[in-house]
Amino acid sequence: MEFVLLKELTLAQQHCKIRTRISRMWESTTPLLKNNILSLDCLLIDEEGYTMQATVRKFDADHFRTLLSEGDVYIFENFNVVPSRNTYKVVDRKYMVQISKWTHGVKYTCKGKIVGIDTTYGWWYKACYDCKGAVKDYDDNFWCARCGKNNQAPIPWYKLNSIVEDETGSTEFTIFGKVAQDLIHVPAQQLAIASNSDRFVLPPVVKNIIGQTYIFQILPDKRRASTNLKSFRVAKIFPTDLKIKGKNKEFENNLQEIEEEIVENTRAVQEIDDIVEEISPTQLLQST
Ligand SMILES: [Zn+2]
């Protein structure tokens, strides 16, 4: 499994990825130093409804305050697992997650509108019958980078290079195969073999999704990581009226019950930049 569940986190398990929603976010202060926060804290909730506190030390707080928002789902990696503090604790767990400037976080869901589909490279490609990777013609056979030589005829497979826009900007989301088919309700094979079908011209039924708003579950497209263009692969698409409700009696006394929509706001997909600035000795002294 790619993601570790919050309940599985231990002090020994320092290098893993978690996928979690930020249910609540608040600043911890003391009555004596009201303007001087101790930390920025979050309540994380994972797919099992298990909750855990996350904390951002005060010298990283400004950075993360602008990048993290309540209700959104993030993938975090390079965080620390640390023992829970005795004070300012909202859930009774042995450990908590410490998010630092070395932590990478990627927003995992995004509500946006498909404003266009770039067909420069076509709206479908010849996919390996077995793995759906791209194939090249190879004598009378086909060559798949993953499976090697393959004599099964390749099949037309959707690859929609979609431009998705929200209030803050636009990004390229690639929608492949079955995910695209669920949206269009017609398999690419069927459209590709139709008479007059052109790989570089969108059929009307595909054009229909332009202008529609969806909630996209996204993953960074690693194959494009070398370019500057931010690109994401769409893992799932939900209608915008989807609501996911989660309740956990454990901390009802501490916080109001959790009952949130999967994504309420529509901020742009953001990668949390890895800030490389050094902590000054003064900041270190202040933090202790
Ligand atoms: Zn293959």
Side-chain angles (χ1 to χ4, degrees), residues 7 14 22 42-43 52 98 149 151 175 244 250 252:
K7 70 176 182 198
Q14 299 284 353
I22 295 184
C42 313
L43 187 68
M52 188 175 267
Q98 189 182 60
K149 198 170 124 182
N151 51 18
I175 312 172
I244 287 184
E250 242 181 318
E252 267 182 3

Side-chain angles (χ1 to χ4, degrees), residues 172-176 217-221 223 231-236:
E172 191 183 301
F173 285 2
T174 311
I175 312 172
F176 283 98
Q217 187 175 313
I218 48 172
L219 298 166
D221 196 340
R223 289 157 304 173
S231 184
F232 297 87
R233 183 167 64 80
V234 175
K236 266 185 192 170

Side-chain angles (χ1 to χ4, degrees), residues 212-224:
Q212 302 293 319
T213 300
Y214 302 99
I215 292 170
F216 298 90
Q217 187 175 313
I218 48 172
L219 298 166
D221 196 340
K222 291 201 175 101
R223 289 157 304 173
R224 298 281 195 90

Side-chain angles (χ1 to χ4, degrees), residues 108-112 166 173 214-218 263 267-269:
Y108 188 65
T109 55
C110 167
K111 183 176 161 188
D166 73 1
F173 285 2
Y214 302 99
I215 292 170
F216 298 90
Q217 187 175 313
I218 48 172
V263 175
R267 287 186 205 169
V269 173

Side-chain angles (χ1 to χ4, degrees), residues 12 23 29 39 44 59 64 78 91 95 97 109 191 263 273 277:
S23 159
T29 55
S39 58
L44 306 179
F59 42 82
F64 284 99
N78 283 344
V91 280
Y95 310 118
V97 168
T109 55
L191 295 173
V263 175
D273 297 318
E277 65 183 14

Side-chain angles (χ1 to χ4, degrees), residues 127-135 143-148 150:
C128 168
Y129 186 85
D130 296 318
C131 76
K132 306 301 183 287
V135 295
W143 184 264
C144 167
R146 202 176 304 166
C147 310
N150 196 332

Side-chain angles (χ1 to χ4, degrees), residues 179-207:
V179 180
Q181 187 179 318
D182 286 347
L183 223 52
I184 294 158
H185 307 296
V186 185
Q189 300 96 296
Q190 197 179 318
L191 295 173
I193 58 164
S195 58
N196 300 328
S197 184
D198 185 328
R199 200 159 78 84
F200 302 95
V201 179
L202 289 178
V205 70
V206 179
K207 262 190 194 157

